[in-house]
Structure formats: C-alpha cells, structure tokens
Amino acid sequence: MMYKPSSSSIHKKMKGLSYSASLLLLTLASSALFEVAAFVTPAISFPKRHGAGIATSALEMSADLSDVRVMVNGMPGPMATAAAEACLRKGLDLTPVAMTGPEIPASTITVADSVTGKSANVRLIPASQEAEIEASVEGLQAACGPNNLLVIDFTHPKAVNSNGKFYAKMGLPFVMGTTGGDRDQLIQDMEEANQCCVIAPNMAKQIVALQAGLEDLAKKFPGAFSGYKIDVRESHQKTKADTSGTAKAIVASLKELSDDDFEVGDIEKIRDDEESKAFGVPEEGLGGHAFHTYTFTSADGTVQFALQHNVVGRTVYAEGTADAVKFLASKIREDGEGKVYNMIDVLEAGALE
C-alpha cells in the first residue's frame, strides 16, 4: 500500500475538551522487517551548531542537543511529515536520508516548517536488502557520533514489532509513534534488549495527561462505577487500520472503575465518512481526525457520565513526538542506560512544551 502525500497546512481548533490534531497511520506493505533500501554516503557529515536555541524546559537545559539528528521513518506519509516539521520547529535537525515504503519511488523531498521557515532536504529510499539498511544506518551513526542518531517511527501497525527489533539490533534509540502491533511483546523485547525508547499509544500532551489522571483515579477509587455499563465509540479517518491505541489504554482504566465486562473488542470503530460526520466530525477533518466518546451509564439509565476528546489535525501529536525525542536524547545523556519510557514519563519530566 502506498503512502498518501500530505498538505503542510494544519487546521487547529480548541473548544472545551476538544483540541486539534489527528493520527493518520501510514500504510506500508507488511514484511518481516520494515523494508527500506540503503542510501550510503561514506562522507556524510553534519555541521555543528553553536549557541542554538534548543532548550526551553528544565530537562532540556540539562543536555546539549545540538548534535542530535532525527531520522523520521514513514515520510512522505502525513503523520511522519508533520513530525519532521515539528522537529525543525523545536530546534532539532533531520538526517539527510530516511526510510520509506517499498512502493514509494526514491526521491528527495523538502520538509518545511511554515512557522519558523526552517527546511531540510531528505532523500527517501524505498525497500531493499537488510544489509544495505544496516550500512546506511551505520554511516549515519558514524557521522552523528555516539547516541546522537534517534529515530521517529510512523509506519504501519504490522511493522511495529519488526521495526522495534531492527532499531534495537542497530542500537537506535527511537520514539514509536505508530500504534498497533503487539504492544506487550514490543515492550518486552525492548526491555530484554536494554533498548532506550519511548513507546506510547498517543503523543498528545493533553491526552497523555487525561490518561494519567484516569489511571490515578482507577487506582484510588477502584469500582467507583460498579453497576454502570461502559460504552466507547471512536472515529478516525478511514485509512486508519487499527482500533485506537488511546481508546484501548483508556478502556483499561475504565474497567478498573467499573465491574462491567466490557472488552477492547467492544469498542465501536467508525471508519466511514458519513458516519464520522454524524458523530460530529467536520468535513475538513475527515482526512485526519480522532474523535472519542466514553460513557458510564447506570443500570436503570437515569445517570450517565461522559468523557470526550475530539481532535482535528496533526499538530498536537507531531509536537508531542518531537518533545519525546528531546526527552529521550536528554535521558541517554543523563543516565546512559537503556530503558523503555512512555509519554507519561515525558510529561512528568516536564518535557512536553
């Protein structure tokens, strides 16, 4: 399956619990490994930036990230492209090469951030042999220096686990923005590999805070909604392959609060434009949105509690992803140990701008 090109324009709104951003999973052909072709430039070099204005939080002030380079895998898909733009916006430099899907012709694209005016040319390389992939990555690692090459992954759910293993094999710290796959297995594999990474179902600061609050509520008041039935509906653009990872995570907390036998498979997944519009999605958001509604309803139907977060666009996810990269780069410099983090760790560290 081909990636779909994206517009650099981002529509952003805020209203109540609704705020802008969306997650559009990229469509790559599934394979044993995220297939990429190598692009090896023996003399890759990166100029050092002196006095670059990068740090804006306490965590970021603790490390010089001017030598960090970010390989954004999944461009020209819209979510990967938005993440690359956010990296530029937040003072991070992109690698001159990145991995793309096997059906995408090799090309050079210009990633441009409309806010800061910064841009970078990135050569996208389609699928080929693993040996070539490794040679390309090794060339970039040699040019960047130890621990300075980090990866953002916005690919396809079927590629999540194999990609994680590949990054661990190559010693590439990464932020896994792609949802789906076997998440428990992914985390287990990365812990066993002593791999430094951020794995989370959602990269948006506000949604991460909401998830953390619900987890805390469930721990403090388990069974507070006993006797109430759970209902969950989520709408995403029709190209999104899997059930929302955010919905799955929130359902886990809701189940702790209730004695309902609701399961992840009971989540109503909307992927039809007309149904999405009936659910409240605006016309301009059909190509990229995340509308979620969770309800608790009493047995007699007289009492209902509802939680809603509606998201149009990609900005909030993209910027959270860039913040996660900066957090990860800083932690590598501080601790020097491999560890699996999530976005709550990033939020608690004060690293989400």
Side-chain angles (χ1 to χ4, degrees):
M1 300 172 69
M2 295 284 289
Y3 290 115
K4 298 189 178 193
S6 68
S7 167
S8 61
S9 62
I10 302 295
H11 180 69
K12 191 172 185 181
K13 296 180 181 177
M14 291 288 289
K15 185 176 181 181
L17 288 177
S18 300
Y19 46 89
S20 298
S22 105
L23 179 60
L24 178 58
L25 292 177
L26 312 179
T27 51
L28 280 173
S30 74
S31 60
L33 173 71
F34 171 39
E35 297 178 349
V36 293
F39 178 68
V40 184
T41 303
I44 294 176
S45 63
F46 302 105
K48 292 184 178 292
R49 293 181 293 131
H50 300 287
I54 298 176
T56 57
S57 72
L59 176 67
E60 292 158 12
M61 289 293 289
S62 66
D64 176 15
L65 306 184
S66 61
D67 290 332
V68 168
R69 299 297 184 273
V70 186
M71 173 185 281
V72 183
N73 292 337
M75 294 189 290
M79 191 61 242
T81 302
E85 293 169 359
C87 286
L88 294 177
R89 190 156 56 250
K90 288 176 175 283
L92 294 167
D93 289 331
L94 305 179
T95 58
V97 295
M99 307 175 187
T100 190
E103 298 180 22
I104 308 281
S107 65
T108 298
I109 66 170
T110 299
V111 179
D113 173 46
S114 61
V115 176
T116 62
K118 294 180 181 178
S119 64
N121 292 328
V122 180
R123 181 170 170 77
L124 304 181
I125 309 302
S128 187
Q129 300 299 312
E130 183 176 349
E132 293 179 291
I133 303 169
E134 294 180 6
S136 182
V137 170
E138 288 168 356
L140 288 168
Q141 288 173 320
C144 293
N147 298 321
N148 285 330
L149 177 62
L150 282 77
V151 170
I152 290 173
D153 185 296
F154 276 111
T155 58
H156 189 275
K158 292 181 179 179
V160 164
N161 293 87
S162 56
N163 285 4
K165 290 180 179 179
F166 173 69
Y167 299 144
K169 173 184 175 182
M170 299 303 298
L172 289 169
F174 66 89
V175 174
M176 182 58 72
T178 312
T179 61
D182 187 333
R183 309 301 279 193
D184 292 337
Q185 186 64 54
L186 175 65
I187 292 171
Q188 179 181 326
D189 289 344
M190 295 307 102
E191 289 176 339
E192 291 176 354
N194 198 35
Q195 177 69 17
C196 202
C197 57
V198 175
I199 299 172
N202 197 294
M203 297 294 170
K205 173 172 65 176
Q206 295 84 352
I207 296 180
V208 172
L210 176 64
Q211 288 177 241
L214 285 172
E215 287 181 11
D216 187 57
L217 187 67
K219 290 176 183 176
K220 290 182 177 178
F221 307 107
F225 288 85
S226 293
Y228 281 68
K229 299 294 290 183
I230 299 172
D231 181 74
V232 179
R233 303 181 71 197
E234 58 95 342
S235 173
H236 286 257
Q237 59 283 347
K238 57 188 177 184
T239 52
K240 179 171 171 59
D242 61 330
T243 300
S244 165
T246 303
K248 292 177 182 178
I250 289 181
V251 162
S253 295
L254 299 184
K255 285 170 61 68
E256 293 293 323
L257 290 165
S258 172
D259 56 0
D260 191 9
D261 59 358
F262 188 92
E263 298 295 338
V264 166
D266 297 321
I267 297 172
E268 182 179 351
K269 185 172 67 172
I270 301 172
R271 298 293 184 272
D272 176 80
D273 285 350
E274 292 306 314
E275 290 183 28
S276 292
K277 286 194 287 186
F279 194 49
V281 180
E283 184 80 29
E284 65 270 22
L286 292 175
H289 67 275
F291 275 42
H292 293 212
T293 297
Y294 313 84
T295 58
F296 277 124
T297 304
S298 63
D300 61 4
T302 61
V303 181
Q304 185 177 82
F305 294 84
L307 174 66
Q308 184 182 74
H309 55 88
N310 296 339
V311 179
V312 174
R314 298 180 178 86
T315 301
V316 71
Y317 297 113
E319 294 196 344
T321 302
D323 288 339
V325 169
K326 297 174 80 170
F327 164 85
L328 193 60
S330 295
K331 295 301 288 184
I332 291 170
R333 284 154 176 73
E334 290 177 1
D335 302 334
E337 296 180 359
K339 184 177 178 180
V340 178
Y341 298 97
N342 58 39
M343 287 300 286
I344 293 177
D345 294 320
V346 181
L347 182 64
E348 289 178 344
L352 286 172
E353 298 174 1

